[in-house]
Amino acid sequence: MAGDQTDPRDTGELDSTEVLGEAQGASDSSTDETNDWVTEDDAAQTATADDSAGWSDDLGDTSDLAAAMALEDTSELPRIDDEADTTAVLPLEKPDGAQEAPSQPTVRQPDDASEDDAKKDDADEKPVAADATVVLGFDEQRELVDQGQEAPGVQPEPGAEPVPQEDFSDWFSHEGPADDGQGDEGEDEPTTELEIPDAGNTDEVVSAASLQHEEHHHKVMRRRIVLGVVAAAVVCCYAGGAIYFGDHFYPRTSVNGIDASLQTTDQLADEATQDASSFQTQVSMGDFSLDVQAADVSYTCDGSAVAADARSQESALRWPVALFQDHALTTDPHTSYDDAQLTQLVNQAVQQHDATSMVTNYAYVGYDYDSRQYEVMGKVSGTALNAQAVHDALAQAIQAGSQTVTLDASVSHDATLDDCLELKQVADTANAVRGASIDITLNGQTCWTLDDTLKSWVTVSESQLVVNQQAVRVWAKYTLAPQVAYSDDENDYTLDVDTFVNTLVEHLQQGNVDPIEVPMTQTKSTEGLSKEAAYAKGGWDSSKGRYVDVDLDAQYARMFDQDGTVLWESAIVSGNASEGRSTPTGTYYIDSYMTQDATLIGADEDLDGDPDYQSHVDYWMPFIGNAYAFHDASWRSSFGGKIYQTNGSHGCVNLPHQKAEDLYGIVQVGDQVYIHT
């Protein structure tokens, strides 16, 4: 390969390293002759390699550069083959007593080098100048750097082609001053900064550049790791804050005056609810004052709704900024109270005040025959408070959560009859009761309705509501009691007159017109009797087999199976005995007229040309022709007892609708019916 080389002078590609190496070798060859243990040829080569490797240090000497440029014969300049893998060997230690001589690293060809490359060197090892810069492996370079030594460079071997090297100039373009090509004239001391060759020159690699590149790479990686860790920490911190403040209020946060700093939504809800239980407000004007506690008007707060409204006003994503801000949040108070209790409380307070501020000696409750209503009559004097105005002011304060209310003079005025609240309440109650209707119920079903009768029971005397209790008792004992009395297979039940009268009078005095359930009392019982005795009491007769037993005295009916098992039973209402319409006694049979959806048409007893009644029934089970039957009676609300004596049927056996439906599904045509007293 050496024979194929072209003279650099012919191509104009003279390498500056080759020129510097030859010039320096010429100047230093005379000094190396004193070292008698080094040959002249080796010294010349060593000097050439040393000078070539140290071009960056001597380039500042312009006189050497001029001498190098003056050389005419550059054909002998050494070159390193571009395929050779050179390994520098450090010089051996100098023998004892010998003069100090430079170390001589050798250059070896790798095992896989080509034959042409091997022919370039006659020996396995060739000396290198003592001050030559060698290139070591990465591990060897690192070891030298760790020991504080400087890693050497390399001088290409004479005749070898240059080894292509990677261009590192782009990596370190920020290091050191730019080379202007003019040298460093006027500087006596060589620079210590690393000079990077031109990017186009790939003839040599400076080991320091590799080390600097590695160090730079480590710095960049460390910087990236630090930035990554910092970024991750920032993201985690932000996410953690967003999660925390997603259910916690920011510091310095108040909600409707409640300190909610760092509280959870549930904690604020509990505090708002608890705070409402201790709420109180006061209304005052002059000598009038009224304190209202939460319990007085059933005042409550929906704390969960308050907390939810407040939570919606804060964004957890703004926590880095919101931490340093004040947050005074206002929501709907979500409070409630009992207005009826408030009205009663205000009226009592106003009445107590007005009793000392106005004169009502000439006022009373009287009946106005024109309006047919009770009214406050007479005259009054003095001053009075407007109870409605006081109520409205208090209601507004409670809804807003205000703790004080100051009334102005507009709520006080000259007294009128309308300000006689106590008298007005008596008149209003009397009018309400006299014009109302009250349902009397048995087992939840209406059995009587009081309406016009109330007007004769309720009056006003000396401005007080009066209920005629004697009239109520007579009506209950002789009219209502027979209507609601009933019996079952074991007991008879009648109206508890005393309890009912007391309940009704209390309702009337309070103006309460709600339905009243009649209290019943047990009057007869078969508790403790044997089955046979109980059946005997009910009329069971084993000789009759399957039959329906009707006890007119007990107003109770049962259907027995052949073995005495009770298949069905119910309270009844039989024929009206007071009108001579009692249900006939005897033994009968269910006939073939048994049907559903029938219309009962009564006889024309009043001779007006029309039937006395027409009634629709869903279940018709006749036992005497088609005239007397078991059937439902939807127009009745109660059965049993003594109803039949004054309000019985025309002779049929009336049944509750469900009981009639049950019997219709059991009884058959031909079943015996036994009716007795």
Side-chain angles (χ1 to χ4, degrees):
M1 293 178 64
D4 297 336
Q5 291 181 354
T6 305
D7 190 344
R9 289 174 297 181
D10 297 336
T11 62
E13 298 178 355
L14 183 61
D15 191 284
S16 62
T17 304
E18 299 173 9
V19 174
L20 291 174
E22 182 175 340
Q24 188 65 30
S27 63
D28 295 340
S29 61
S30 59
T31 61
D32 292 338
E33 293 176 357
T34 60
N35 301 327
D36 53 3
W37 56 283
V38 180
T39 64
E40 291 182 349
D41 293 337
D42 291 338
Q45 293 179 4
T46 301
T48 302
D50 178 61
D51 294 339
S52 177
W55 68 272
S56 62
D57 293 333
D58 297 338
L59 189 59
D61 191 348
T62 57
S63 61
D64 292 342
L65 180 61
M69 297 300 294
L71 294 177
E72 296 181 359
D73 186 6
T74 62
S75 62
E76 297 300 322
L77 292 176
R79 289 187 177 274
I80 300 175
D81 186 73
D82 57 354
E83 297 180 359
D85 182 10
T86 59
T87 303
V89 179
L90 296 177
L92 299 174
E93 294 183 1
K94 182 178 68 173
D96 296 340
Q99 295 181 0
E100 184 176 353
S103 61
Q104 300 181 8
T106 60
V107 179
R108 295 185 179 87
Q109 295 291 339
D111 295 339
D112 56 352
S114 63
E115 293 180 1
D116 293 339
D117 296 336
K119 291 178 182 180
K120 293 179 182 179
D121 302 316
D122 295 332
D124 292 333
E125 298 181 358
K126 290 187 179 182
V128 181
D131 57 350
T133 302
V134 296
V135 176
L136 304 179
F138 177 78
D139 292 338
E140 296 169 295
Q141 295 179 19
R142 169 58 73 184
E143 181 177 359
L144 290 177
V145 172
D146 292 341
Q147 296 175 359
Q149 302 181 28
E150 181 178 358
V154 69
Q155 172 65 32
E157 187 178 350
E161 294 187 5
V163 179
Q165 301 292 336
E166 185 177 356
D167 183 12
F168 295 96
S169 60
D170 292 339
W171 297 4
F172 298 93
S173 59
H174 62 287
E175 300 288 346
D179 187 4
D180 58 2
Q182 300 299 326
D184 298 326
E185 294 183 2
E187 295 185 4
D188 296 335
E189 297 181 0
T191 179
T192 59
E193 296 182 355
L194 178 64
E195 296 287 345
I196 303 302
D198 192 318
N201 184 2
T202 61
D203 291 342
E204 63 181 26
V205 176
V206 180
S207 63
S210 298
L211 295 176
Q212 258 189 319
H213 166 252
E214 183 184 2
E215 185 64 25
H216 175 72
H217 176 71
H218 287 314
K219 289 181 179 180
V220 171
M221 291 305 296
R222 286 195 298 270
R223 187 179 298 113
R224 290 178 179 175
I225 291 173
V226 171
L227 291 177
V229 171
V230 171
V234 170
V235 171
C236 291
C237 180
Y238 178 79
I243 294 174
Y244 179 81
F245 287 109
D247 192 44
H248 289 75
F249 291 94
Y250 294 123
R252 299 191 299 277
T253 297
S254 63
V255 178
N256 296 340
I258 300 174
D259 184 7
S261 299
L262 300 179
Q263 287 188 350
T264 64
T265 305
D266 291 340
Q267 289 173 335
L268 176 60
D270 292 341
E271 186 168 349
T273 302
Q274 184 64 29
D275 188 67
S277 65
S278 60
F279 171 79
Q280 64 177 1
T281 186
Q282 183 185 62
V283 58
S284 61
M285 186 200 74
D287 58 349
F288 175 76
S289 178
L290 174 61
D291 291 331
V292 179
Q293 306 290 331
D296 295 337
V297 293
S298 301
Y299 180 83
T300 60
C301 173
D302 186 352
S304 298
V306 172
D309 286 354
R311 180 71 270 168
S312 65
Q313 297 182 38
E314 288 193 345
S315 172
L317 301 180
R318 296 184 61 254
W319 73 265
V321 176
L323 279 177
F324 305 98
Q325 297 176 338
D326 292 330
H327 308 273
L329 307 181
T330 302
T331 71
D332 188 291
H334 294 285
T335 56
S336 62
Y337 66 96
D338 189 329
D339 188 68
Q341 289 181 311
L342 177 63
T343 300
Q344 183 178 4
L345 194 66
V346 170
N347 287 344
Q348 290 176 352
V350 170
Q351 288 176 16
Q352 292 176 0
H353 173 270
D354 291 349
T356 59
S357 63
M358 70 179 192
V359 179
T360 60
N361 294 340
Y362 300 101
Y364 62 95
V365 176
Y367 187 76
D368 184 3
Y369 288 93
D370 292 335
S371 63
R372 299 192 177 189
Q373 296 281 323
Y374 282 100
E375 298 179 356
V376 179
M377 301 179 178
K379 64 179 182 177
V380 296
S381 60
T383 60
L385 293 176
N386 187 332
Q388 187 62 44
V390 175
H391 168 276
D392 294 345
L394 264 175
Q396 185 177 2
I398 291 173
Q399 291 173 349
S402 302
Q403 295 184 348
T404 59
V405 180
T406 302
L407 302 175
D408 55 31
S410 62
V411 301
S412 178
H413 58 273
D414 292 337
T416 65
L417 292 175
D418 290 337
D419 295 319
C420 300
L421 297 181
E422 186 174 355
L423 297 178
K424 190 173 186 302
Q425 184 177 0
V426 172
D428 291 343
T429 301
N431 293 331
V433 170
R434 288 165 59 85
S437 62
I438 300 177
D439 291 333
I440 308 301
T441 63
L442 175 63
N443 298 324
Q445 300 294 323
T446 301
C447 60
W448 199 279
T449 299
L450 289 171
D451 40 35
D452 290 342
T453 306
L454 297 174
K455 294 181 179 179
S456 62
W457 291 349
V458 178
T459 59
V460 175
S461 176
E462 298 181 358
S463 299
Q464 297 293 326
L465 185 67
V466 178
V467 178
N468 189 340
Q469 296 188 28
Q470 183 62 29
V472 173
R473 181 176 297 276
V474 171
W475 174 84
K477 184 176 182 179
Y478 296 102
T479 302
L480 181 62
Q483 179 72 22
V484 298
Y486 69 94
S487 302
D488 57 22
D489 59 343
E490 295 183 352
N491 304 302
D492 292 334
Y493 300 92
T494 59
L495 176 67
D496 185 345
V497 176
D498 291 338
T499 302
F500 174 76
V501 170
N502 292 335
T503 301
L504 178 57
V505 170
E506 183 179 356
H507 271 58
L508 296 176
Q509 289 176 341
Q510 295 177 353
N512 186 350
V513 294
D514 293 337
I516 299 176
E517 177 75 11
V518 292
M520 304 298 291
T521 183
Q522 179 179 306
T523 59
K524 185 173 64 173
S525 175
T526 59
E527 183 178 358
L529 295 179
S530 65
K531 179 179 179 181
E532 290 74 11
Y535 283 161
K537 175 183 177 294
W540 176 61
D541 186 349
S542 59
S543 64
K544 297 183 183 301
R546 175 187 171 100
Y547 73 101
V548 179
D549 181 271
V550 179
D551 188 336
L552 296 180
D553 288 341
Q555 289 289 287
Y556 209 82
R558 302 173 185 83
M559 184 174 183
F560 297 99
D561 202 352
Q562 292 180 352
D563 61 356
T565 301
V566 178
L567 301 177
W568 170 91
E569 60 183 337
S570 174
I572 65 170
V573 173
S574 61
N576 192 332
S578 63
E579 295 180 357
R581 302 178 185 276
S582 298
T583 303
T585 59
T587 301
Y588 308 99
Y589 299 89
I590 301 296
D591 62 32
S592 59
Y593 292 107
M594 178 176 167
T595 186
Q596 291 180 263
D597 295 327
T599 300
L600 309 183
I601 300 176
D604 183 15
E605 295 181 358
D606 57 4
L607 304 177
D608 62 354
D610 294 321
D612 289 347
Y613 64 88
Q614 292 187 15
S615 303
H616 176 269
V617 297
D618 290 330
Y619 304 99
W620 175 256
M621 295 160 280
F623 51 84
I624 301 178
N626 200 28
Y628 294 88
F630 298 101
H631 63 79
D632 57 290
S634 58
W635 52 89
R636 293 189 182 275
S637 59
S638 60
F639 297 83
K642 307 300 181 182
I643 299 174
Y644 76 101
Q645 294 179 351
T646 57
N647 191 28
S649 69
H650 288 82
C652 290
V653 177
N654 290 178
L655 302 173
H657 188 278
Q658 185 60 50
K659 292 294 185 177
E661 180 181 355
D662 294 342
L663 180 61
Y664 190 87
I666 299 174
V667 75
Q668 300 174 3
V669 174
D671 283 341
Q672 188 179 133
V673 177
Y674 178 58
I675 302 175
H676 61 90
T677 57

